[in-house]
Each structure stands twice: as structure tokens, then as C-alpha cells.
Amino acid sequence: MKSIKTFLFVLVTGCILFSCVPARQYQNLESRANENQKKYEELKDANRLLTESNAELEGQLEVLEDKYKRADEEYKESSERLFKSKEQLKRCEENQEDLLAQLAKQQKGSAKESKALLDLIHKTQDNLNLREDEVMGLEQDLKYRIKKLDDLQTEINRRDKRLLELERALAKKDEAVIALKNKVMNALTGFDNKGLSISNRNGKVYVSMDEKLLFKSGSYTVDVRGAQALKQLAQVLSTNKDINIVIEGHTDNVPYKGSGDLKDNWDLSVKRATSIVRILSLDKGIDPQRMTVAGRSKYLPIGTNASAEGRSKNRRTEIILTPKLDELFQILGR
């Protein structure tokens, strides 16, 4: 980022001194490039955050389901204990009734037998009180466990709903990417096998143009055939305003040997990207705030620089199209 800012400062200063283009235009370009680079980094972080959030939600859902399973087992155990205690309570009540009946029969008997029966009744009553307390405690515990199960089920439902919303949003985004790719391919029909390729990776559409389609060797002026391809692409982008655009310039590792304001491959890669931005923004009026310019120099090769074929692949410009992620951000922010 610091390198890009330094380059932009040098570029603007040089252009003020050696061209008739107003300095304010280059200052605006530098400011927009900084803002768009920041948005580009935020989108990269957002895409990573989506993947991490989806994995985290699935992990949390598994934990909640495990908790719900254990709570359900505890609930069943408590229900069984409550049932057994009620059975014991019923038997105690029946025993008490039998003892009272025996006492009535023995009232005419000896005082000793009567006292023994009274003691047994008191003991049975005490046992009955204990059983009643135990049943009340179990009923309270059962109510608590039922509430806990309800709370866990509510949380699971909430997580399921959020996960479903996230999956739907991701699927919607993927559908938008596929539809965008098809539109771009239809718009650029005729440039197949002429230095242009279109692919979708990581939720983005990549339009890769070889150097031979856009520029002469060492130049940053777009030729006629390349300008035509960019204008046809601009027609698609101008009617899809919810697409963010990143233009990346790439070179091989052969040192730049040109003259003028350009010093090295860094300068050349950025200058080529800004040339494309001007065509997209001026021809179809695409909002510059949607576009980010980046120069990657030789540091992101797709082929080996040890062969002429590999170096030719590395000398390219990539236009990266990304649908806006507002809906996904809203889901993640809940």
C-alpha cells in the first residue's frame, strides 16, 4: 500500500511537470485509487470472514444440538424418578390407610399394641412427608429442565435460521457471479483465443487480457482492438451497477527498459491499469467509485518466467468483478 501511494505521488508530480493534463485530475485519481484499494481490501476480508463465520455457525450448531441431546436425556431421567417417587408416595398412603384401619380394630386391645401402632403411624407419616418433599423437588427440577430444553431449542432454531439465511445469501451471490460471467462472455464473443479468458474464482469473475490484446510491448496506450473489447465489457458493467471492479496490471520479471516518466515494472503495471480505468469511466460513464486500480508488477505470476511462453502469460491485465456483499454483511452483523 505504501508503495502504491509513493508511486501515485511520483506519477502525479511527473505528470504535472511533463504534460498538459491538470494536476487536480491526477490528485483526484490518487485519492480515488487509495479509497478503492481500501474497499478492495475490505471485500477480501469480508469474503474470508464469510467463510469463517459459516464454519463457526456450523460448529456452534453442533454444540447446541449436543447440549439439547444431553438435556433431553436428563429430562427423561427426571421424569422416571418423578414417576417412581409418586408410586412410592401412593404405596405410603395406602400403608397409612391400612394402619389406621388396624388401629381402629385394635382400639379395644391392649395399650401397648395401640402405642406400637401409633409409633408406626408417626413413622409412616414422617416417611410420607419426606416423599412429598422429594416429589415437590423433582417437580421443580423437572420444570427447570423443561425450560432449559425450551431455551436450547429456541437458540438452535435461531442459529438454524441465521445459517439458512447465510446459505441463501451465499447461493444468491454465487448465482449472481455465474450470471455476470455469462453476460461478460456473451459481450466479449469474438475475442476467444485472442488473448482473453474469463473465469470465476472465490465468488468473483476474472476477465484476463494478455498484453498482446491491449498494449504494444513496453507501452501503456491501449490499442484499437483492446479498446473495442473494453468498450463491449463496459456495456455490461454500466447496466450492472451493483458490481465492484478491480483492475490489476501485471508484468513479467524482465526489467523495464523504456524511457520517460516510467521507471520500472511497478510504474508500467499501474499505468496500464489506469489507462483501462479511463476507457471504462469515459466511454460508458461507469462511476469511478466502483473501480479500484492496482499495479502488481512481476509479483503475482501465473506462469514461469523461465520461458517465453510463461512470461507472455504473466504480461496481462486482470479485471476482477465482485458483486456487492451488503446482504451478507447485514446477516453477519446480527
Side-chain angles (χ1 to χ4, degrees), residues 155-172:
E155 178 64 14
I156 289 174
N157 293 339
R158 189 182 71 83
R159 295 282 182 173
D160 280 341
K161 181 180 178 181
R162 186 182 178 196
L163 185 59
L164 182 61
E165 289 176 350
L166 183 59
E167 290 174 346
R168 287 175 177 172
L170 287 171
K172 184 178 179 181

Side-chain angles (χ1 to χ4, degrees), residues 165-182:
E165 289 176 350
L166 183 59
E167 290 174 346
R168 287 175 177 172
L170 287 171
K172 184 178 179 181
K173 188 202 73 169
D174 291 339
E175 291 174 359
V177 169
I178 294 173
L180 176 62
K181 178 185 175 183
N182 292 334

Side-chain angles (χ1 to χ4, degrees), residues 3-15:
S3 298
I4 293 175
K5 288 185 176 179
T6 303
F7 156 71
L8 288 174
F9 178 78
V10 173
L11 177 63
V12 172
T13 303
C15 291

Side-chain angles (χ1 to χ4, degrees), residues 242-275:
D242 58 344
I243 302 298
N244 291 318
I245 308 162
V246 176
I247 299 96
E248 290 187 348
H250 299 265
T251 68
D252 57 22
N253 67 343
V254 177
Y256 178 73
K257 296 181 180 179
S259 59
D261 296 333
L262 303 186
K263 295 181 179 180
D264 52 25
N265 283 331
W266 277 117
D267 286 356
L268 180 60
S269 64
V270 174
K271 193 67 176 176
R272 285 180 169 180
T274 55
S275 295

Side-chain angles (χ1 to χ4, degrees), residues 312-325:
S312 177
K313 291 180 180 180
N314 294 333
R315 296 191 299 270
R316 70 198 188 280
T317 300
E318 290 186 338
I319 301 176
I320 306 170
L321 310 176
T322 308
K324 291 184 179 180
L325 305 175

Side-chain angles (χ1 to χ4, degrees), residues 64-182:
L64 285 172
E65 289 175 343
D66 185 60
K67 288 183 178 179
Y68 182 85
K69 181 179 179 181
R70 291 198 302 270
D72 187 54
E73 291 174 353
E74 293 174 354
Y75 168 77
K76 291 179 180 178
E77 292 176 358
S78 297
S79 298
E80 291 177 0
R81 290 172 57 195
L82 177 59
F83 176 77
K84 291 179 180 179
S85 295
K86 287 183 175 180
E87 288 293 321
Q88 292 176 352
L89 178 60
K90 182 179 179 181
R91 288 195 296 270
C92 288
E93 291 174 343
E94 292 174 351
N95 290 337
Q96 186 181 33
E97 291 176 358
D98 291 341
L99 290 172
L100 288 173
Q102 293 180 32
L103 179 60
K105 294 178 180 180
Q106 296 295 330
Q107 282 181 347
K108 296 180 179 180
S110 63
K112 183 177 181 181
E113 292 177 350
S114 297
K115 184 177 181 305
L117 284 174
L118 285 172
D119 291 340
L120 185 57
I121 289 173
H122 291 155
K123 183 178 180 180
T124 303
Q125 184 64 50
D126 292 339
N127 188 34
L128 181 63
N129 293 336
L130 289 174
R131 294 297 180 184
E132 288 177 344
D133 293 340
E134 182 179 359
V135 169
M136 291 179 62
L138 286 172
E139 287 177 342
Q140 291 295 326
D141 182 66
L142 194 59
K143 290 179 181 179
Y144 167 77
R145 294 191 183 281
I146 290 173
K147 184 179 183 303
K148 185 177 179 181
L149 283 173
D150 291 341
D151 292 342
L152 283 172
Q153 186 62 56
T154 300
E155 178 64 14
I156 289 174
N157 293 339
R158 189 182 71 83
R159 295 282 182 173
D160 280 341
K161 181 180 178 181
R162 186 182 178 196
L163 185 59
L164 182 61
E165 289 176 350
L166 183 59
E167 290 174 346
R168 287 175 177 172
L170 287 171
K172 184 178 179 181
K173 188 202 73 169
D174 291 339
E175 291 174 359
V177 169
I178 294 173
L180 176 62
K181 178 185 175 183
N182 292 334

